Amino acid sequence: ELQSKTKDIITGAETPKEAALKLFSFVRDGIPWSLDHCDTKASATLKKGWGDCANKTNLQVALLRAVVIPARYHQGKIKREWMKGVVSEFMYNRIPEIIWFHPWCECYLAEKWIACDSIFDKPLFEAMLKAGLVTEKQIPTIDWDGDSDLIVMKPWRTEDVGSFPSLDDVFRKAEKEIKRPRVPATLCGWFFMFLSNRHTDRLR
């Protein structure tokens, strides 16, 4: 299913760079940012049509690999303050001050690894700017040119954790560092994420 979707997305692309750009645009704008559980499979995110940074990165990596473009996860710790006003107040108050788990995609083009962070869809990003939740100085662009790094959340990053071949590797490092096992999805958790995502949709 992922391979079939990838072929549709990259129609007309003549180079790996053109294919990577088409896949980036699809994940950025075709998969709007909304909260979901971080270990959701790429195929499930594709079916749902939405996801957060982990879900979108996971899907982007899978799509790139489906066309034999090397891709990996880059992990950073970020401040939760960027989420104020983007998620519901109830959800915001329950998120740790430092979010350990924040991955973005890197792909290998022209013999180098390039960051291609697809976190924010255009409607949400423009709504965040309009509401004054972020500034153009903090996030100058969410467009990627295929040549240079795009790391959208850099102003809120507190630590660069490094690159990983899979999300499972990121999870293992997180569980070891914060000494807390991965929390399974619960009905209560889904309900509060649903309410928060309605807040995000209204902002959008």
Side-chain angles (χ1 to χ4, degrees):
E1 188 175 351
L2 284 167
Q3 290 175 336
S4 176
K5 184 63 178 180
T6 304
K7 289 178 182 178
D8 292 339
I9 297 169
I10 66 168
T11 299
E14 297 181 355
T15 65
K17 176 182 172 180
E18 290 178 4
L21 286 166
K22 285 178 175 288
L23 293 171
F24 166 82
S25 295
F26 169 76
V27 175
R28 188 191 68 183
D29 294 330
I31 308 294
W33 185 92
S34 286
L35 293 174
D36 197 358
H37 288 282
C38 58
D39 57 355
T40 300
K41 291 183 178 181
S43 56
T45 298
L46 180 63
K47 288 179 181 178
K48 290 180 180 182
W50 50 268
D52 61 22
C53 59
N55 312 134
K56 295 183 69 161
T57 296
N58 198 34
L59 176 59
Q60 190 177 359
V61 168
L63 294 174
L64 285 162
R65 289 176 176 176
V67 289
V68 203
I69 296 175
R72 66 187 185 185
Y73 306 80
H74 202 113
Q75 170 65 26
K77 299 179 186 180
I78 60 172
K79 300 175 183 176
R80 72 168 181 178
E81 63 186 49
W82 79 265
M83 301 182 82
K84 192 170 183 63
V86 179
V87 300
S88 68
E89 185 176 356
F90 179 89
M91 185 65 75
Y92 180 81
N93 290 334
R94 283 154 182 79
I95 295 171
E97 296 252 350
I98 301 298
I99 303 170
W100 197 99
F101 190 72
H102 174 71
W104 62 91
C105 179
E106 292 181 333
C107 65
Y108 195 74
L109 296 172
E111 300 184 353
K112 64 178 181 179
W113 287 101
I114 308 172
C116 43
D117 190 351
S118 60
I119 182 170
F120 293 134
D121 53 284
K122 273 192 175 180
L124 178 58
F125 177 60
E126 291 171 356
M128 290 165 65
L129 286 173
K130 186 176 180 181
L133 301 177
V134 298
T135 66
E136 291 184 356
K137 183 177 180 180
Q138 290 172 317
I139 305 179
T141 184
I142 59 169
D143 294 325
W144 180 53
D145 60 11
D147 296 311
S148 53
D149 288 329
L150 175 66
I151 305 174
V152 176
M153 305 305 290
K154 191 179 293 185
W156 297 276
R157 190 172 64 189
T158 63
E159 184 180 338
D160 189 328
V161 180
S163 299
F164 300 83
S166 75
L167 276 185
D168 283 336
D169 291 304
V170 181
F171 290 142
R172 278 190 285 270
K173 184 171 178 61
E175 289 167 3
K176 182 178 180 181
E177 181 166 327
I178 63 180
K179 296 179 174 59
R180 187 176 63 191
R182 204 181 316 181
V183 178
T186 64
L187 184 60
C188 183
W190 281 115
F191 177 70
F192 288 121
M193 280 199 294
F194 169 77
L195 293 180
S196 184
N197 289 340
R198 288 182 63 185
H199 171 92
T200 305
D201 286 339
R202 286 194 293 269
L203 172 64
R204 186 183 281 114

